[in-house]
Amino acid sequence: MSGETHLDFTAKFDGHDSSVPSNPAFNQVELRRIDKKQAEVKEKKDGAVVATVREKLSSDGNELTITTASKGHLDQVTVWTRSGGAKGARDLFAGEWKQDLSKTRMRQGTVLKIEPDGKDGSVFPVSSATRPVLTGSSTI
């Protein structure tokens, strides 16, 4: 992979499918809030679940651990450190995050920004850019 990958979508934490346009891996997401510091995202391709993503905030809200599980693949664990943006009282996930490669089991340098949208803070667009990095003698 070379270059950057960019993905934008807007969805609610209501357990209903939302469209994700222009993405070959999945074209729908279903968001569900487990509690104030945990969420689950089901990525779907034409209605079938292709990956389940669990997001969990640390007790201080400054570290975000994301575990992605998909059939036939090892779980991918990425750890993020809050790098900016305001923590919202209603949405603790909001803010800018930088991937902590020392704690991540997927060697990619990625920037993640989660923006609250709407009065209840439950709707948000997600924007991420992936920048491949060299790991040992192989290139990702």
Side-chain angles (χ1 to χ4, degrees):
M1 174 190 273
S2 64
E4 292 190 10
T5 301
H6 186 86
L7 172 66
D8 283 320
F9 65 88
T10 301
K12 291 184 178 185
F13 280 106
D14 61 3
H16 296 286
D17 289 346
S18 295
S19 177
V20 179
S22 304
N23 183 5
F26 57 94
N27 54 18
Q28 299 166 304
V29 293
E30 174 189 320
L31 303 178
R32 182 176 66 89
R33 184 76 67 154
I34 297 168
D35 59 34
K36 198 170 187 173
K37 293 190 176 189
Q38 293 184 83
E40 181 179 75
V41 179
K42 290 186 179 177
E43 298 173 348
K44 299 178 180 181
K45 181 72 171 182
D46 301 327
V49 175
V50 294
T52 301
V53 181
R54 300 285 306 246
E55 302 174 344
K56 184 176 182 178
L57 285 169
S58 62
S59 58
D60 66 2
N62 290 322
E63 187 172 274
L64 174 63
T65 301
I66 300 176
T67 303
T68 303
S70 57
K71 190 173 182 172
H73 298 280
L74 293 175
D75 288 358
Q76 294 179 340
V77 179
T78 55
V79 179
W80 307 81
T81 302
R82 188 177 296 279
S83 60
K87 274 190 239 183
R90 291 179 297 211
D91 187 358
L92 300 176
F93 290 88
E96 294 177 17
W97 300 86
K98 181 175 179 173
Q99 189 176 18
D100 184 341
L101 294 176
S102 69
K103 297 179 181 178
T104 293
R105 285 192 0 219
M106 183 176 87
R107 293 286 184 197
Q108 291 180 330
T110 305
V111 177
L112 177 68
K113 185 175 184 179
I114 302 173
E115 300 174 355
D117 190 11
K119 292 181 182 177
D120 64 359
S122 63
V123 181
F124 64 90
V126 175
S127 177
S128 67
T130 303
R131 288 183 292 285
V133 296
L134 293 177
T135 57
S137 62
S138 60
T139 303
I140 297 178

